[in-house]
Amino acid sequence: MSDTNSPLSLNNLEMSEGNKPLLNAVIKHIRENVDPISEEYHRLADAQEDRWSYHPRQLELLEGAKQKARDAGLWNFFLPNAETGEGLSNLDYAYIAAELGKNPLASQTLNCSAPDTGNMEVLERVGTPEQKEKWLKPLLAGEIRSAFAMTEPDRASSDAKNIAMSAVLENGEWVMNGEKYYISGAGDPRCKIMIVMVKTSPDAEPFRQQSQILVPIDTPGVEILGPMHVFGHDDAPHGHMHIKFTNVRVPESNILWGEGKGFEISQVRLGPGRIHHCMRSIGQAEKALDLMIERGLSRVAFGKKIVDLGKNMETISRAKIEIESMRLLVLKAAKAMDVLGNKEARIWVSMIKAKVPEQVCDIIDQAMQVHGATGISQWSPLSGMYAQQRTLRYADGPDEVHHHVIARHEVQTYKDSNERQDAAKQHTENRGSAGFMG
């Protein structure tokens, strides 16, 4: 076994020395350029008559913070080992992602927001020069936004083989028909391009039937039917949209990587994306814990500060323990991706995806409880944080799929180990018999 594949190498979870100043610069940027604009930005959003647009001042605040990030060299961190990004390892970026999770505007100011991150990584890895020039270049510059359309309303989309939206090649064009829903980011007026998962080869083997095709959102036949709500939140203007595709035509050249490559492309984006989601989630858990403590110290009931009532001190302790446990697990998954590659690290990635959103939901729920009724109201960010984290238990595969992947791997590992032991025992017995007979 080589050093890079050894268990010890996976346990070295320290951020590289050369990138520690970068992390400090990100923390400074959020504190000085993002936190101060957040209150005004969200106040303007609440006052908008058209919820699916931006107030000019919102965009001014956002672009100002983005320009400060660009000037400081804080841009496109998410692309691991890429010429177009900072070239950070997954492990190093994981530390940064945790900080980004503490303020919902932070990721966007560094051009590190989902779903753009995954879409840019796909284009960077498998896009043609023409596709990169037309779509990747403005995405990397933060000039436009994008969406990824996979989930379908009438299919169990947790099994991606069920994707049924059709794409048929006719006279050099893909003709697409079907529906997608929960398409995050498609409500944003800055969203210009979608990557759409479609069925192009229904007679091929199950994992070769799907392809991914670039579809400009203003293509004739693309109809946004409306937003899907999450616990009553429409998340405007970002949105999670229900979209109908009726005889949508795009050039044959809009296909990514080639026909039947849909599943392979998904593996490019899902591993890193899950690391990013989980570390941002840990940042949210830390924010929820801070809010829990702040509330507990500032309110009195029954003659005591709320923090001293019941088991609230133990609740704070357990939340902190869980946050640090989750952090170590996600960092190890990130290191596994760096050392072993996306495919071999998939078990670690499934572990964090099954563990983190569920546990973060519990911590936010406890913070809401300490806040009382305010915790579930518009006066607190906690209800929105909870809705986002609860959604992550579906996004990029539901909990059950990840638990199945982990358990299947463990069962197979156990069987393989027993078979090796049985074979070794049989070999020893055969040698002993041969020696006796001799």
Side-chain angles (χ1 to χ4, degrees), residues 148-153 157 163-166 178-183 194-199 223 225-226 228 241-245:
F148 179 70
M150 177 174 169
T151 309
E152 297 180 3
S157 298
I163 296 301
M165 178 173 156
S166 67
E179 288 187 30
K180 301 287 185 180
Y181 80 151
Y182 283 105
I183 309 309
M194 296 181 287
I195 296 178
V196 185
M197 184 85 148
V198 291
K199 181 173 284 190
E223 181 184 4
L225 300 178
M228 303 300 300
M241 312 309 282
H242 179 195
I243 304 177
K244 186 175 183 179
F245 298 77

Side-chain angles (χ1 to χ4, degrees), residues 421-435:
Q421 291 177 17
D422 290 344
K425 182 179 179 181
Q426 186 64 47
H427 179 67
T428 301
E429 290 175 351
N430 289 342
R431 290 186 61 188
S433 299

Side-chain angles (χ1 to χ4, degrees), residues 23 58-59 66 84 205 219 231 236 284 327 346 387:
L23 175 61
Q58 280 184 287
L59 295 177
K66 287 166 66 175
T84 47
E205 58 183 306
T219 305
F231 291 109
Q284 287 217 335
R327 191 192 315 277
R346 68 189 184 282

Side-chain angles (χ1 to χ4, degrees), residues 119-423:
N119 291 339
M120 284 189 273
E121 187 158 8
V122 165
L123 284 164
E124 195 270 334
R125 295 287 182 86
V126 306
T128 65
E130 293 76 19
Q131 290 167 349
K132 291 179 179 180
E133 177 66 25
K134 188 169 185 178
W135 301 115
L136 179 59
K137 188 175 179 180
L139 281 168
L140 286 171
E143 296 169 356
I144 65 171
R145 298 211 61 185
S146 62
F148 179 70
M150 177 174 169
T151 309
E152 297 180 3
D154 56 353
R155 298 278 168 167
S157 298
S158 57
D159 180 357
K161 297 191 299 297
N162 287 335
I163 296 301
M165 178 173 156
S166 67
V168 178
L169 195 58
E170 292 182 1
N171 300 320
E173 292 182 316
W174 292 105
V175 183
M176 289 171 279
N177 286 279
E179 288 187 30
K180 301 287 185 180
Y181 80 151
Y182 283 105
I183 309 309
S184 298
D188 193 319
R190 298 169 298 168
C191 179
K192 304 301 180 185
I193 187 67
M194 296 181 287
I195 296 178
V196 185
M197 184 85 148
V198 291
K199 181 173 284 190
T200 53
S201 312
D203 297 326
E205 58 183 306
F207 288 97
R208 296 290 180 187
Q209 294 181 4
Q210 282 78 23
S211 302
Q212 295 189 20
I213 297 177
L214 290 162
V215 180
I217 201 165
D218 60 356
T219 305
V222 174
E223 181 184 4
I224 297 178
L225 300 178
M228 303 300 300
H229 290 202
V230 181
F231 291 109
H233 294 272
D234 61 9
D235 203 12
H238 183 73
H240 311 285
M241 312 309 282
H242 179 195
I243 304 177
K244 186 175 183 179
F245 298 77
T246 305
N247 293 323
V248 173
R249 292 178 173 270
V250 298
E252 181 179 0
S253 60
N254 277 29
I255 197 166
L256 283 165
W257 206 4
E259 191 170 342
K261 295 281 193 178
F263 277 88
E264 291 178 68
I265 294 172
S266 292
Q267 293 312 306
V268 170
R269 67 181 294 138
L270 284 180
R274 287 165 178 161
I275 297 287
H276 305 167
H277 278 317
C278 287
M279 284 307 282
R280 284 193 295 263
S281 295
I282 290 170
Q284 287 217 335
E286 291 182 300
K287 178 68 174 177
L289 178 56
D290 287 345
L291 291 171
M292 187 192 312
I293 295 171
E294 181 182 342
R295 184 74 170 191
L297 290 172
S298 64
R299 292 296 177 100
V300 174
F302 306 104
K304 292 183 178 181
K305 290 183 178 180
I306 290 175
V307 75
D308 293 319
L309 290 176
K311 295 177 67 176
N312 284 341
M313 289 295 282
E314 182 179 337
T315 296
I316 291 168
S317 169
R318 290 185 179 278
K320 178 61 175 177
I321 291 168
E322 287 296 341
I323 286 170
E324 295 308 320
S325 299
M326 289 187 291
R327 191 192 315 277
L328 289 173
L329 187 59
V330 179
L331 291 175
K332 192 162 186 176
K335 184 61 177 283
M337 288 184 63
D338 291 332
V339 172
L340 306 176
N342 289 18
K343 184 176 180 181
E344 294 302 318
R346 68 189 184 282
I347 303 305
W348 291 100
V349 174
S350 283
M351 281 193 275
I352 65 171
K353 191 59 180 59
K355 167 72 173 174
V356 173
E358 181 178 14
Q359 189 61 56
V360 174
C361 276
D362 287 345
I363 292 171
I364 295 172
D365 183 75
Q366 291 156 359
M368 288 191 291
Q369 194 70 15
V370 169
H371 279 70
T374 297
I376 58 173
S377 77
Q378 75 275 20
W379 289 0
S380 166
L382 290 167
S383 63
M385 291 162 63
Y386 184 91
Q388 182 183 14
Q389 292 303 313
R390 188 61 184 83
T391 303
L392 280 182
R393 294 183 61 188
Y394 303 113
D396 295 342
D399 295 352
E400 293 82 0
V401 170
H402 293 292
H403 283 299
H404 180 73
V405 169
I406 298 162
R408 182 179 60 194
H409 178 266
E410 288 302 298
V411 169
Q412 190 59 51
T413 300
Y414 178 85
K415 288 179 178 178
D416 291 346
S417 177
N418 279 356
E419 287 176 5
R420 286 193 297 270
Q421 291 177 17
D422 290 344

Side-chain angles (χ1 to χ4, degrees), residues 38-50:
S38 296
E39 183 179 348
E40 182 181 1
Y41 181 92
H42 293 301
R43 185 175 68 248
L44 290 167
D46 292 339
Q48 276 288 94
E49 290 186 13
D50 178 7

